[in-house]
């Protein structure tokens, strides 16, 4: 390999491009350092300065603003429809939209002023020499004009919607943190007043900030004094019925700033500088409680912790979690982090980075309140999630609302096809739990089983083996249950006497509405209903029962033959059989026995269907894990390749001659200095080193410690590779000997 080849290996020459002089090493290194610095301080999408440079420039600007007659205006600008663009067009078009918005904002900022992207949909601008806000007003007018025209994105025309808040210094002080909060608060107020508006901060807006300051101070004291308390809500496995995990919740008994049950994170901490301290306290307490449970001999338990959007953006989160778990010697797999869609929508890039780092630790990841957001489906594929918790609005009315039941069931089935587990929170009734069980939800939690309790009570609950009752499990043995609905009590009593010998569990109701209430609270196999009842005809009751509980077998037993109503119900499938009063005992018992046999066949089919869905879910889960492993391996290969290229480039321009050998002793690498030193040998790449470089070797496997090359003495060192990596072969470094002949 000649020297020109080695230089051009790092970048191909464009067609027709004239050969250029090799770039000096020092100049190249300086250029690479400059590029690296730019990447670490600027936003990758827009190229604008990032939050770090904003802080430095704001500090300098505020120092200048303290001088008499000087002042600055701080603009906080949000692009309010960025999340909608990401959700409807995708994140790649969303990034292009953001780049074009940034270009228009930059044109609205005058030379000498400073524009930065803070992250997500937020930008900030520092306008110098503007103590009264005149330049800020003009700047906002230019921003409004520049964003008035549609932006072409992904074959669509999108108009950017913005809100801007302005805070002035020194009018409202020269504290950077407070000035940023003032500008942000004015921006929020501007957005509340309508689209594409700007608003100056005023003292009348400061009440909320004063409240936050008081709350922050109180929370800081509470953390220092250990006044906060963690409570835990048990999570139940619908297969086994056992407590399989707990969700950590914060409780703070403060008269002015309460965190009542079942708050799962610190809303006060989100708006303060206590995010890191609060997260550290929560993690430390979780680890302590887990150690206590372990020392008591309880089975290892997973703990779920919900993060706020601001906590998710904290770059120190993953290292903090790793440190706390490491100190407590707790496996990362025993911690699960829950985020809701708002945290993912606010800053998808930061969320993706945070979740990727947490996933790399081995921590479980769950998407909370799933099912109502427009980006729900994209989130399931975009982020490395293990589990979703469906939104409580999807399950709140499943026991009595057919539409809600269908939607919730479809969401569970769809998520399972992606290999994810499904959980449900805020389960308050047995009917909700039964519905979720029947539709293969994996986990439930809520007041139906237990409210959040403290760590000691949670430990006692685990030690006692508290679990769901057997009838709530997916696979269970149930007693045959019959519901009799008739407004004549003597008829109900007669039927009970007749059918008691058949061993059924018999429930009864005296109206259609009462029958629906019994169905909501109990699992029923067969329904026998009268037709003529006050308030609701039997046919209407059975129609409602069919919609809400389609697996029941429904029989009408009536002395009235209202053919039209009954015929319609039969044709709609609401009635399995129509029997007349008075009845023949043996014939009625036979029909009811047939109905139970039909129900048991249906149950067997449902169990087979459940087993098939379970197997498909397990297969989808295995496929998802395999895909993650393949992606991880591909990323590792890409990372290794990049690392190799960087290493080769660094070695190439070191002034020390370096030669790389593979494990067979063949020359695999020659840097520029070595190429120059052995120029007389011609090309040596790919040849056996002992043959083409006799100056360095006494034999195939024996390198010399000293060598004479071109009349000069050199020290030769061989560095075997592989002690700290999977690399093979060796590197030979050649340095001028201090002792020359």
């Amino acid at each position: 390999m000649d020297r020109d080849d080695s230089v051009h290996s790092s970048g191909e020459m464009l067609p027709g491009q004239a050969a250029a002089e090799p770039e000096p090493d020092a100049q190249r290194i300086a250029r690479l350092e400059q590029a690296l610095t730019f990447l670490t301080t600027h936003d990758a999408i827009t190229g604008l300065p990032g939050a770090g440079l904003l802080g430095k420039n704001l500090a300098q600007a505020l120092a200048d603003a303290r001088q008499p007659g000087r002042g600055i205006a701080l603009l906080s600008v949000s692009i309010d429809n960025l999340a909608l663009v990401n959700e409807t067009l995708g994140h790649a078009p969303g990034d292009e939209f953001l780049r074009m918005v940034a270009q228009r904002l930059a044109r609205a900022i005058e030379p000498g002023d400073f524009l930065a992207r803070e992250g997500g949909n937020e930008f900030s601008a520092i306008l110098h020499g503007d103590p009264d806000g005149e330049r800020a007003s003009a700047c906002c007018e230019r921003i409004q004009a520049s964003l008035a025209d549609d932006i072409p994105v992904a074959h669509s025309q999108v108009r950017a919607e913005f809100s801007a808040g302005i805070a002035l210094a020194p009018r409202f002080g020269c504290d950077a943190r407070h000035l940023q909060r003032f500008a942000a608060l004015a921006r929020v107020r501007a957005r509340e007043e309508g689209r594409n508006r700007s608003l100056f901060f005023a003292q009348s807006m400061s009440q909320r900030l004063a409240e936050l300051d008081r709350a922050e101070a109180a929370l800081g004291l509470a953390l220092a004094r250990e006044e906060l308390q963690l409570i835990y809500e048990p999570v139940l496995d619908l297969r086994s019925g056992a407590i399989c995990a707990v969700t950590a919740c914060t409780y703070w008994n403060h008269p002015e700033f309460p965190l009542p049950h079942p708050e799962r994170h610190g809303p006060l901490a989100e708006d303060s500088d206590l995010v890191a301290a609060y997260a550290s306290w929560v993690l430390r307490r979780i680890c302590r409680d887990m150690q206590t449970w372990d020392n008591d001999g309880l089975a290892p338990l997973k703990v779920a912790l919900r993060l706020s959007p601001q906590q998710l953006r904290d770059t120190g989160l993953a290292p903090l979690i790793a440190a706390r778990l490491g100190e407590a010697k707790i496996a990362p797999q025993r911690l699960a982090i829950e985020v809701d869609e708002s945290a993912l929508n606010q800053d998808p890039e930061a969320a993706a980075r945070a979740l990727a780092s947490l996933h790399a630790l081995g921590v479980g990841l769950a998407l909370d309140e799933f099912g109502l957001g427009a980006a729900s489906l994209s989130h399931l594929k975009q982020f490395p999630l293990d589990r979703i918790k469906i939104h409580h609005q999807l399950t709140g009315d499943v026991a009595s609302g057919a539409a809600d039941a269908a939607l919730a069931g479809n969401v569970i089935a769809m998520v399972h096809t992606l290999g994810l587990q499904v959980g449900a929170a805020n389960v308050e009734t047995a009917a909700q739990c039964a519905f979720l069980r029947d539709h293969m939800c994996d986990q439930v939690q809520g007041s139906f089983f237990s409210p959040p309790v403290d760590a000691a009570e949670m430990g006692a609950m685990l030690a006692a083996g508290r679990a769901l009752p057997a009838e709530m499990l997916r696979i269970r043995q149930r007693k045959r249950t019959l519901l009799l609905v008739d407004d004549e009590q003597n008829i109900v009593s007669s039927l009970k006497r007749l059918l008691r010998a058949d061993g059924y569990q018999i429930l009864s109701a005296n109206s259609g509405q009462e029958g629906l209430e019994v169905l909501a609270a109990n699992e029923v196999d067969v329904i026998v209903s009268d037709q003529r009842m006050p308030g609701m005809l039997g046919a209407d009751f059975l129609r409602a029962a069919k919609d809400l509980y389609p697996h029941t077998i429904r029989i009408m037993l009536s002395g009235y033959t209202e053919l039209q109503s009954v015929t319609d119900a039969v044709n709609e499938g609401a009635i399995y059989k129509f029997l007349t009063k008075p009845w023949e005992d043996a014939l009625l018992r036979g029909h009811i026995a047939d109905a139970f046999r039909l129900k048991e066949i249906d149950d067997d089919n449902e169990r087979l269907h459940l087993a098939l869905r379970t197997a498909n879910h397990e297969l989808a889960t295995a496929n998802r894990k395999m895909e993650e492993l393949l992606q991880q391996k591909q990323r590792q290969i890409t990372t290794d390749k990049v690392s190799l290229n960087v290493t080769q480039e660094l070695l190439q321009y070191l002034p020390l001659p370096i030669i790389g050998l593979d494990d067979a002793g063949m020359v695999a690498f020659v840097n520029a200095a070595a190429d120059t030193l052995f120029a007389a040998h011609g090309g040596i790449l790919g040849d056996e080193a002992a043959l083409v470089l006799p100056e360095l070797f006494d034999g195939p496997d024996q390198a010399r410690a000293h060598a004479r090359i071109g009349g000069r003495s050199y020290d030769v060192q061989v560095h075997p590779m592989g002690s700290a990596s999977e690399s093979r072969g060796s590197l030979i470094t050649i340095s001028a000997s201090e002792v020359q002949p």
Side-chain angles (χ1 to χ4, degrees), residues 157-174:
Q157 298 292 323
V158 182
R159 179 168 297 181
E161 298 173 0
F162 79 96
S163 301
I166 308 161
L168 302 176
R171 179 179 299 181
F172 297 111
C174 289

Side-chain angles (χ1 to χ4, degrees), residues 195-256:
R195 299 176 179 177
N196 302 322
R197 297 177 65 91
S198 58
L199 199 64
F200 279 88
F201 175 80
Q203 288 290 358
S204 59
M205 302 178 188
S206 61
Q207 181 178 357
R208 170 61 178 160
L209 293 177
E211 292 175 357
L212 289 175
D213 286 340
R214 291 201 313 274
E216 180 181 342
L219 183 59
L221 287 175
L223 288 171
R225 297 171 179 173
E226 294 286 334
E227 293 176 351
L228 298 180
Q229 181 184 5
L230 272 190
I231 50 180
Y232 298 94
E233 185 176 43
V235 180
L236 290 308
D237 188 318
L238 282 174
R239 283 191 182 184
S240 66
I243 299 173
C244 61
V246 294
T247 300
C249 319
T250 308
Y251 180 76
W252 184 21
N253 188 18
H254 190 283
E256 188 177 0

Side-chain angles (χ1 to χ4, degrees), residues 9-20:
S9 63
S10 62
E12 295 183 359
M13 185 180 296
L14 297 175
Q17 182 181 4

Side-chain angles (χ1 to χ4, degrees), residues 616-634:
N616 288 337
H617 178 208
E618 292 172 350
L619 179 61
T621 301
N623 288 338
R624 183 182 180 91
K625 290 181 179 178
M626 181 64 71
E627 184 178 347
E628 287 180 357
L629 287 174
L630 291 174
Q631 291 176 349
Q632 183 180 356
K633 190 65 176 178
Q634 185 62 46

Side-chain angles (χ1 to χ4, degrees), residues 468-480:
L468 285 172
E471 63 269 18
M472 286 298 173
L473 305 185
R474 281 193 195 171
I475 306 299
R476 62 206 181 279
Q477 292 295 328
R478 293 193 301 107
K479 194 171 184 179
R480 289 176 162 187

Side-chain angles (χ1 to χ4, degrees), residues 540-738:
D540 294 332
F541 161 66
L542 293 177
R543 284 191 185 95
K546 171 185 176 291
D547 290 338
L548 294 172
Y549 311 99
H551 294 295
T552 55
I553 307 298
R554 298 162 297 278
I555 297 173
M556 180 171 286
L557 179 64
S558 178
Y560 298 93
T561 56
E562 297 169 337
L563 291 179
Q564 186 60 51
S565 176
V566 172
T567 301
D568 290 344
V570 171
N571 290 337
E572 293 167 10
I575 298 176
Y576 161 63
K577 282 189 177 180
F578 177 81
L579 305 176
T580 60
K581 298 176 183 177
W583 62 82
E584 292 184 18
D585 290 355
L587 187 60
L588 178 60
R589 289 177 64 191
H591 283 308
I592 292 176
D594 288 342
F596 273 105
R597 281 192 289 270
L598 181 61
K599 177 63 167 64
E600 286 163 359
I601 291 173
D602 185 57
D603 287 346
D604 288 339
N605 290 334
E606 184 64 24
R607 277 191 288 270
L608 290 174
H609 177 65
L610 181 64
L612 179 61
R613 281 187 61 182
T614 301
N616 288 337
H617 178 208
E618 292 172 350
L619 179 61
T621 301
N623 288 338
R624 183 182 180 91
K625 290 181 179 178
M626 181 64 71
E627 184 178 347
E628 287 180 357
L629 287 174
L630 291 174
Q631 291 176 349
Q632 183 180 356
K633 190 65 176 178
Q634 185 62 46
R635 287 194 296 268
Q636 186 60 49
I637 291 173
T638 302
T639 301
D640 291 345
K641 185 176 180 180
V642 171
S643 299
L644 177 61
N645 291 338
V646 171
T647 301
Q648 286 182 334
E649 186 170 359
L650 288 173
L651 293 176
Q652 189 67 248
Y653 292 96
L654 284 177
L656 183 71
I658 298 176
I659 297 173
L661 308 182
D662 63 16
D663 53 353
M666 310 296 287
V667 178
F669 173 79
V670 181
N671 76 344
D675 199 32
T676 301
L677 183 62
F678 294 101
H681 292 64
I684 60 175
L685 275 175
D687 292 330
E688 186 176 344
L691 295 179
V692 296
L693 298 171
E695 303 97 324
L696 305 182
F697 294 90
D698 289 327
D701 300 319
Q702 184 63 44
R704 297 173 180 166
H706 303 282
R708 287 188 61 80
I709 305 169
R712 293 178 59 85
S713 293
Y714 292 88
D715 295 327
V716 181
Q717 291 186 326
V718 179
H719 307 274
M721 302 177 67
S723 60
S725 68
E726 296 182 1
S727 303
R728 295 180 298 175
S730 57
L731 283 178
I732 299 176
T733 59
I734 305 167
S735 56
S737 178
E738 295 181 359

